[in-house]
Amino acid sequence: MLRVKAGDLDRMGLLFERHHRSLYGFLFHMTYQREASEDMVQNVFYKMLKYRHTFTGQGEFVAWMFQIARNTLKDQAKKNKNKVQQLPAEEMEDRLPGGMSADEHLEKKQDKASLYKAMASLSEDHREILTLNRLQELKYGEIGQILGISEVAAKTRAFRAMQELKNIYSKMER
Amino acid sequence: MMCEKYEDKLIGLLNNELTPAEQAELEKHLTECQGCSEELAGLRDVWEMMAEMETPEPSAHMRVKFQAMLDTYKESVEDTKPGVWTSIRERLGKIWQLQTRWPLAYSLVIVLVGFGLGYWLFSSGKGGEQEQQLKALSSQVHELKQTMMLALLENPSASERIRGVSYTSEIKHADKEVIDALLATLNNDPNVNVRLSTLDALSHLANHPEVREGLIRSIEKQDSPIMQLAIADVMLKLQEKRSVKSFEDMLKQKDLNPGVRDKIKQTITQLI
Ligand SMILES: [Zn+2]
């Protein structure tokens, strides 16, 4: 990113190749809307180009990228405040990736669906931290940077989120 | 019940972030404390399941759109004269970005490229002519862009109409047709978000006298409080004193929103 900042804009292509999937994954799990997530990925890369001078190189590029992604999500939420954002859990299923092979047990498939539903019913803060933690596989230090909180606070929030997820999930399985 | 002071350690263990010493200490505690070891077992099950969570694949044209955006951006930053080929490529790049979900654009682009390049190749060889043909091609591209924008404004989906409005910023010289279309959208579009975006787009075109006049005439047509506030802001920004009359008329409406009424009074004072 520092080379992009220095004016080598083509380097942004490399960063796109490396990071657009995980960025898309984060945005998707925060919105469950494919098209809107793709538009937002585009938007985040545009903002990174436009505001490249604000990248200091002190923190991680990934943290900076997710910070911009969070702002983009907030802007999007403001724009859509008239629309209902949260989908009922049943409709969610249609939007989630299939990709289970036929020989996988039905039971496992249902477990998985319940987990997605449980995830979708978490509060936004909790879903956000678990998405960063578990789907993006980030460390708590990085997560703290992204969310603007301390590493300890990130751990505490992640722990609470895991507990909430576990409780919702076990209620569904019963 | 688990011990509160081990919360950070349990989550740290799951995420593989403990130092060997912390890990040893935690393991020792887990052998002694049933609450903590039960909690860990429960969390670990869910934690492991989450590893299998999937995300759908982004669509393939995302990369194309990104490249087009990057090219457009580069073009806007670098003020260097591009060579003939890059110039065509970048102009086309802009159209790729425009087409997004509008299949008709694909065929238009293909026809245009075929026509443009064919024309160019068949009559190549005379230096000055190429330049001229390129100019013709680029004006066709510009026209096409404008056509697409106008068509988007007619789209039944509000987000597509907003998209259309946003392309205004890419059209270098907004002509009468574009301005009329935007003003009509500002006055008649049923969706307030579309009207807001249009107002924003028009406020950037305020160096055209027709736009200014259109905006002033539009004041009396806006009945939603958001639009009334937004247009008052635009008039303030433009320091458009001719709008005072329309705002005074607005104040005569009995059912005017009280917040809007305050804002309009304030606007009038600031304009006079
Ligand atoms: Zn304990």
Side-chain angles (χ1 to χ4, degrees):
Chain A
M1 185 61 209
L2 286 170
R3 309 222 358 209
V4 174
K5 189 181 174 183
D8 187 358
L9 299 184
D10 281 323
R11 285 263 151 181
M12 201 48 139
L14 200 68
L15 291 171
F16 179 85
E17 288 308 324
R18 262 186 220 155
H19 300 290
H20 79 273
R21 267 163 209 280
S22 70
L23 186 58
Y24 175 77
F26 171 68
L27 294 166
F28 176 79
H29 284 278
M30 295 309 291
T31 60
Y32 299 116
Q33 300 182 17
R34 294 185 191 206
E35 238 171 54
S37 300
E38 288 192 9
D39 288 349
M40 279 189 275
V41 169
Q42 192 79 339
N43 203 328
V44 170
F45 275 95
Y46 177 73
K47 284 180 184 163
M48 291 196 288
L49 273 174
K50 194 172 168 191
Y51 302 116
R52 60 189 183 283
H53 59 277
T54 66
F55 180 68
T56 57
Q58 281 166 347
E60 289 288 320
F61 167 74
V62 172
W64 187 63
M65 178 179 81
F66 280 116
Q67 282 164 1
I68 294 176
R70 289 183 83 226
N71 287 333
T72 307
L73 272 170
K74 276 187 210 150
D75 291 347
Q76 185 78 4
K78 259 185 235 156
K79 261 193 236 161
N80 293 346
K81 65 178 170 229
N82 302 327
K83 290 187 216 161
V84 183
Q85 274 293 70
Q86 192 60 52
L87 294 163
E90 287 69 32
E91 272 183 48
M92 278 265 323
E93 265 179 290
D94 305 338
R95 305 211 180 192
L96 294 165
M100 289 279 247
S101 63
D103 55 334
E104 266 178 296
H105 296 302
L106 184 65
E107 197 184 323
K108 195 176 173 199
K109 209 167 174 175
Q110 279 170 345
D111 286 353
K112 221 169 168 179
S114 308
L115 185 63
Y116 281 116
K117 278 189 206 171
M119 190 76 181
S121 59
L122 287 180
S123 69
E124 210 158 283
D125 279 0
H126 282 177
R127 180 147 44 96
E128 176 174 62
I129 200 163
L130 292 185
T131 304
L132 293 171
N133 188 182
R134 208 55 195 113
L135 286 105
Q136 308 299 334
E137 303 187 325
L138 298 177
K139 299 282 174 203
Y140 295 116
E142 293 171 296
I143 295 174
Q145 257 186 41
I146 294 167
L147 303 181
I149 57 180
S150 70
E151 182 174 345
V152 177
K155 282 184 184 171
T156 309
R157 189 183 296 178
F159 183 82
R160 297 268 170 266
M162 278 303 294
Q163 272 189 322
E164 193 191 351
L165 182 66
K166 186 192 77 175
N167 292 338
I168 297 175
Y169 177 71
S170 60
K171 268 182 209 143
M172 283 176 173
E173 290 293 281
R174 228 175 270 148
Chain B
M1 282 299 284
M2 69 162 293
C3 319
E4 204 176 315
K5 69 170 209 176
Y6 281 97
E7 288 180 352
D8 289 2
K9 294 289 182 303
L10 291 193
I11 200 80
L13 180 73
L14 290 174
N15 210 32
N16 253 331
E17 288 192 34
L18 295 188
T19 62
E22 286 173 319
Q23 189 154 345
E25 205 255 307
L26 176 62
E27 272 162 16
K28 181 166 173 289
H29 177 72
L30 288 171
T31 58
E32 294 160 355
C33 175
Q34 199 188 356
C36 282
S37 52
E38 274 172 10
E39 186 71 36
L40 176 63
L43 292 179
R44 185 170 262 156
D45 282 350
V46 178
W47 184 267
E48 296 301 333
M49 282 187 69
M50 286 178 84
E52 288 178 35
M53 287 187 82
E54 295 157 52
T55 301
E57 282 289 299
S59 70
H61 64 254
M62 213 166 93
R63 183 173 283 109
V64 180
K65 279 203 277 177
F66 167 77
Q67 198 54 51
M69 184 272 283
L70 185 60
D71 288 347
T72 310
Y73 189 83
K74 268 163 42 192
E75 194 189 19
S76 75
V77 174
E78 295 161 16
D79 210 12
T80 53
K81 276 251 171 258
V84 169
W85 279 108
T86 36
S87 172
I88 291 178
R89 192 174 55 84
E90 283 175 3
R91 282 185 172 78
L92 291 178
K94 280 192 177 170
I95 305 180
W96 287 121
Q97 193 183 24
L98 271 174
Q99 54 77 27
T100 53
R101 288 160 217 131
W102 203 43
L104 178 59
Y106 276 113
S107 38
L108 279 174
V109 167
I110 289 162
V111 169
L112 184 69
V113 172
F115 174 75
L117 292 186
Y119 183 59
W120 185 43
L121 288 175
F122 274 97
S123 56
S124 64
K126 294 156 207 161
E129 239 172 68
Q130 287 191 358
E131 199 54 35
Q132 217 173 354
Q133 281 150 9
L134 182 63
K135 260 189 203 146
L137 178 61
S138 103
S139 100
Q140 281 162 347
V141 170
H142 184 251
E143 225 167 81
L144 174 68
K145 213 185 258 178
Q146 188 166 324
T147 310
M148 287 199 284
M149 181 219 131
L150 293 171
L152 279 173
L153 287 183
E154 303 291 323
N155 195 291
S157 140
S159 60
E160 291 298 293
R161 295 202 298 283
I162 290 179
R163 192 193 295 276
V165 170
S166 70
Y167 292 153
T168 322
S169 61
E170 296 201 13
I171 297 178
K172 283 177 195 134
H173 309 288
D175 62 12
K176 190 158 181 329
E177 201 180 350
V178 170
I179 291 173
D180 286 349
L182 288 172
L183 286 171
T185 306
L186 176 68
N187 291 330
N188 306 316
D189 200 283
N191 182 298
V192 69
N193 291 323
V194 176
R195 296 203 302 276
L196 271 176
S197 319
T198 312
L199 179 60
D200 184 53
L202 281 166
S203 72
H204 294 294
L205 296 172
N207 52 338
H208 295 263
E210 316 90 273
V211 171
R212 276 184 181 251
E213 278 151 30
L215 284 171
I216 296 168
R217 272 198 307 278
S218 172
I219 296 174
E220 60 174 47
K221 303 209 171 78
Q222 301 303 334
D223 46 14
S224 107
I226 302 175
M227 286 304 295
Q228 291 167 335
L229 294 173
I231 207 161
D233 276 332
V234 170
M235 289 299 142
L236 269 181
K237 203 172 92 190
L238 301 178
Q239 281 298 307
E240 186 48 85
K241 293 192 195 315
R242 287 176 294 167
S243 65
V244 170
K245 174 88 184 55
S246 310
F247 286 131
E248 282 168 351
D249 288 344
M250 193 190 275
L251 288 176
K252 288 178 192 148
Q253 293 170 25
K254 284 204 189 80
D255 53 352
L256 190 67
N257 174 301
V260 173
R261 185 175 295 278
D262 289 347
K263 168 78 184 177
I264 297 299
K265 280 183 190 160
Q266 204 188 332
T267 307
I268 294 176
T269 349
Q270 283 172 281
L271 281 176
I272 298 175

